[in-house]
Amino acid sequence: MEVSVTIRAARSSDSKGMGIVHVRAWQAAYREVMTDDYLDGLSADERAAMWERAISAPAGPHVLVAAIGDEVIGFASFGAEPNQLSGRGIGELYAINLDPAHWGNGIGRLLLRGATNSLRSMGFQEAVLWVATTNFRARSLYDSEGWTDDDAIRSEDVLGAIVQEMRYRYVLTSVA
């Protein structure tokens, strides 16, 4: 039986589901990257409150969710690259998370394409994202969608955990 997944703009009522997905995804994807104590201490309610604030903020990130009916099973957040070090016109995929029960079904790809298309529609010429160097599943997805590693590396405090990350780039505009 095929399940119908909808990719749509996040609503305030999605924040609880986003909090649950956020915790489940991190606990599965980052078990060897972050400490067990940190991952086991993640709170879906705290993440839901964080996403509620983000969705409600007038200048907050743009957020898409993947949903089956009313159940949120994944999300992507994106907007302007905060530092704009390379000049204007750069967007950023801030986060993409999918419930591990739905990994391998093409839903992450749908979210990534939705976020990429949204960044293009917002007028950005290029997009970047940061990914944990050891997150080979996500890196494989980005590679397969034409994102390229630009050799930038950073150690980032990601909501309380220090993570080694690498940057990917994607050209959003075509040269005529």
Side-chain angles (χ1 to χ4, degrees):
M1 178 174 131
E2 191 170 314
V3 177
S4 179
V5 176
T6 302
I7 306 294
R8 60 169 172 76
R11 302 185 284 250
S12 186
S13 59
D14 294 325
S15 60
K16 181 176 182 178
M18 290 174 66
I20 292 167
V21 166
H22 195 155
V23 169
R24 286 181 184 162
W26 277 40
Q27 287 175 336
Y30 298 124
R31 191 54 72 179
E32 301 299 319
V33 177
M34 300 175 184
T35 67
D36 287 346
D37 286 344
Y38 177 80
L39 290 170
D40 294 340
L42 290 175
S43 162
D45 289 339
E46 287 175 9
R47 294 295 182 249
M50 179 188 80
W51 286 112
E52 170 69 25
R53 287 188 302 276
I55 292 167
S56 302
H62 298 268
V63 181
L64 294 176
V65 296
I68 298 174
D70 290 332
E71 180 189 4
V72 172
I73 60 166
F75 63 88
S77 69
F78 52 92
E81 193 272 332
N83 297 321
Q84 293 295 310
L85 297 175
S86 303
R88 301 175 46 82
I90 299 177
E92 183 171 343
L93 176 65
Y94 305 134
I96 185 167
N97 287 280
L98 182 64
D99 189 310
H102 297 280
W103 286 0
N105 295 323
I107 300 166
R109 186 174 308 281
L110 292 174
L111 277 169
L112 178 60
R113 288 178 180 173
T116 302
N117 289 332
S118 294
L119 287 165
R120 183 179 293 112
S121 296
M122 293 163 69
F124 294 109
Q125 299 169 13
E126 186 176 15
V128 297
L129 64 81
W130 290 91
V131 60
T133 57
T134 57
N135 190 342
F136 299 108
R137 175 182 289 277
R139 289 176 52 195
S140 176
L141 171 62
Y142 303 142
D143 290 336
S144 73
E145 287 293 308
W147 290 72
T148 56
D149 171 8
D150 73 359
D151 294 324
I153 300 279
R154 71 179 182 188
S155 290
E156 183 73 1
D157 183 330
V158 181
L159 300 175
I162 303 300
V163 178
Q164 185 78 10
E165 295 181 319
M166 59 193 294
R167 187 173 60 199
Y168 274 73
R169 288 189 175 277
Y170 187 86
V171 176
L172 297 167
T173 57
S174 60
V175 177

